[in-house]
Amino acid sequence: MKLAVAWTIMVTTLLGVAMDGYDCKVVQFIFGDSLSDVGNNDRLSKSLAQASLPWYGIDFGNGLPNGRFCNGRTVADIIGDRTGLPRPPAFLDPSLTEDMILENGVNYASGGGGILNETGSLFIQRFSLYKQIELFQGTQELIKSKIGKEEAENFFQKSQYVVALGSNDFINNYLLPVYNDGWKYSDEGFINYLMETLKAQLTILHGLGARELMVFGLGPMGCIPLQRVLSTSGECQDKTNKLALSFNQAGSKMLKELSGNLPNASFQFGDAYDVVDDVITNPQKYGFNNSDSPCCSFGQIRPALTCVPASILCTDRSKYVFWDEYHPSDSANEIIATELIRKFGFLGRNGTNAPSPGPAVDAPSPGPAVDAPSPGLAVAPSPEG
């Protein structure tokens, strides 16, 4: 009799683990641009915004390009490692399966992508935020088929969401004369257009189950090396920085209102402007000796736009705030992530109470570029984003 009872308890426990195992782990779903891309654009064969060549990835894992627009890790990588969240694979990773999604989440970020569909069209192929949300809807259908509708809804509602776009909407849209938006809108009008669009997108994500979501604001994008070299003085472009500040102010207000109006929503706005600005303005304070030019460039030939095998690397990559004309270095991302964790009080997840660096992950060697995602994924990318 005791054996029968013990057997019944064990079977019930095992069944409980099997049924509830999928909601035990908190994962991330990341929507973003090149600051968060971990390989999606490298698999868009027509995209002009790729990190597929050396020296991208030189300080990450095996040192090969892995799709990150950096010499090492992204800010999202570092924050996830320190708070116990797994690194989500790229949506277009050919090895992506339903089990991987349940264990790690998904990263939909795409270099050149923006809040607006028209942003970044010069790059030919990229995923706009609307497209990334569409791909997320396809992911949801896969998970529903795998574990059932009720368990899937529970899984997605317990997940964490990061939305980190906006800089391309200015740098690769509004501020370029080849785009209509710069002629059509005033500064205030364009930011209102962005806020209306972003509010609609976040409302869709809430309808798809997003409850804990953080929208990251913009840094001083007028101080990236590309903007400096395009100015007459070599200094930061004040107008561009003011646009970033206005975007952050409007975004913070919009997120607060939206979070209060949507049921069970905990939407936060992560304004990191002051953190990044301090790193750029006071580089020595953080151990850097250069915050105005890229580590990977063609020397005096500027702007270099991208990092390629023929590029010249700086002597000490850990001393440069910027890796290329657009993107921070691994060392800068480490500082930024550390300050963000401190500023916003990110808590450990999945049993991680004290934040600690995650283990290094070997970067995969680049595979062939493709026009569509792997066969198991429901939604194929389209050229317009």
Side-chain angles (χ1 to χ4, degrees):
M1 182 66 180
K2 289 182 179 179
L3 182 61
V5 172
W7 176 254
T8 301
I9 292 172
M10 185 175 74
V11 170
T12 302
T13 302
L14 289 173
L15 285 174
V17 171
M19 289 186 293
D20 297 333
Y22 292 119
D23 64 4
C24 290
K25 194 169 189 180
V26 176
V27 301
Q28 294 183 92
F29 292 94
I30 295 177
F31 305 84
D33 52 28
S34 57
L35 292 173
S36 307
D37 192 345
V38 295
N40 284 315
N41 275 30
D42 279 8
R43 294 181 175 91
L44 294 175
S45 62
K46 298 175 184 176
S47 178
L48 300 181
Q50 296 187 343
S52 57
L53 296 172
W55 304 99
Y56 288 107
I58 188 172
D59 296 311
F60 186 103
N62 60 11
L64 295 175
N66 56 74
R68 288 167 174 80
F69 288 77
C70 184
N71 59 310
R73 301 158 297 168
T74 68
V75 169
D77 285 332
I78 299 165
I79 291 177
D81 290 345
R82 294 200 179 173
T83 56
L85 290 167
R87 293 179 180 176
F91 172 79
L92 291 183
D93 185 331
S95 65
L96 187 67
T97 64
E98 291 92 334
D99 287 336
M100 286 177 62
I101 295 169
L102 291 165
E103 282 293 311
N104 302 289
V106 182
N107 186 324
Y108 303 91
S110 173
I115 294 168
L116 305 176
N117 287 338
E118 60 264 34
T119 291
S121 60
L122 290 177
F123 298 122
I124 311 300
Q125 274 188 311
R126 75 277 176 233
F127 294 153
S128 67
L129 182 51
Y130 267 126
K131 186 63 183 181
Q132 293 178 38
I133 294 171
E134 182 184 339
L135 298 176
F136 174 61
Q137 290 175 304
T139 299
Q140 288 201 322
E141 294 305 313
L142 285 176
I143 299 304
K144 287 177 184 177
S145 298
K146 175 76 173 178
I147 64 175
K149 183 179 179 181
E150 185 176 343
E151 285 294 322
E153 288 178 352
N154 186 44
F155 168 71
F156 287 111
Q157 287 184 11
K158 289 192 174 183
S159 298
Q160 291 196 325
Y161 297 81
V162 174
V163 176
L165 302 95
S167 60
N168 284 314
D169 292 292
F170 293 99
I171 293 173
N172 289 302
N173 182 350
Y174 183 67
L175 294 173
L176 290 182
V178 295
Y179 286 93
N180 291 331
D181 286 345
W183 301 97
K184 184 177 179 181
Y185 296 98
S186 64
D187 291 354
E188 182 180 358
F190 185 66
I191 290 173
N192 288 338
Y193 175 32
L194 287 176
M195 290 301 114
E196 290 169 4
T197 306
L198 182 58
K199 181 179 179 180
Q201 293 162 333
L202 298 178
T203 302
I204 293 172
L205 282 174
H206 179 270
L208 295 171
R211 296 297 179 265
E212 288 192 43
L213 181 148
M214 176 164 278
V215 174
F216 279 103
L218 304 182
M221 55 189 183
C223 293
I224 66 172
L226 177 69
Q227 287 286 299
R228 284 180 182 265
V229 79
L230 294 178
S231 71
T232 55
S233 64
E235 299 299 319
C236 298
Q237 298 221 31
D238 188 54
K239 177 186 177 180
T240 309
N241 283 345
K242 285 181 178 177
L243 287 169
L245 288 168
S246 296
F247 175 93
N248 290 349
Q249 184 178 15
S252 179
K253 180 181 178 182
M254 183 269 288
L255 256 290
K256 185 177 181 179
E257 293 174 354
L258 189 62
S259 187
N261 292 333
L262 295 175
N264 302 314
S266 177
F267 287 9
Q268 291 183 287
F269 189 81
D271 188 347
Y273 187 98
D274 57 344
V275 174
V276 182
D277 185 57
D278 196 42
V279 173
I280 293 172
T281 306
N282 304 296
Q284 287 78 16
K285 174 181 172 183
Y286 298 92
F288 299 105
N289 58 28
N290 187 303
S291 63
D292 60 10
S293 56
C295 173
C296 185
S297 69
F298 288 107
Q300 299 301 314
I301 304 174
R302 302 274 308 283
L305 297 183
T306 189
C307 187
V308 296
S311 299
I312 301 169
L313 297 185
C314 61
T315 305
D316 187 348
R317 296 186 287 277
S318 70
K319 299 297 183 182
Y320 273 65
V321 172
F322 290 98
W323 166 245
D324 62 14
E325 298 281 6
Y326 295 91
H327 308 100
S329 65
D330 177 271
S331 296
N333 284 339
E334 174 86 34
I335 298 295
I336 294 166
T338 299
E339 289 298 309
L340 288 173
I341 291 170
R342 180 193 59 78
K343 181 177 180 179
F344 297 109
F346 295 132
L347 300 175
R349 296 297 182 127
N350 299 319
T352 301
N353 294 319
S356 59
V361 177
D362 281 345
S365 49
V370 295
D371 286 307
S374 52
L377 297 173
V379 185
S382 60
E384 74 276 11

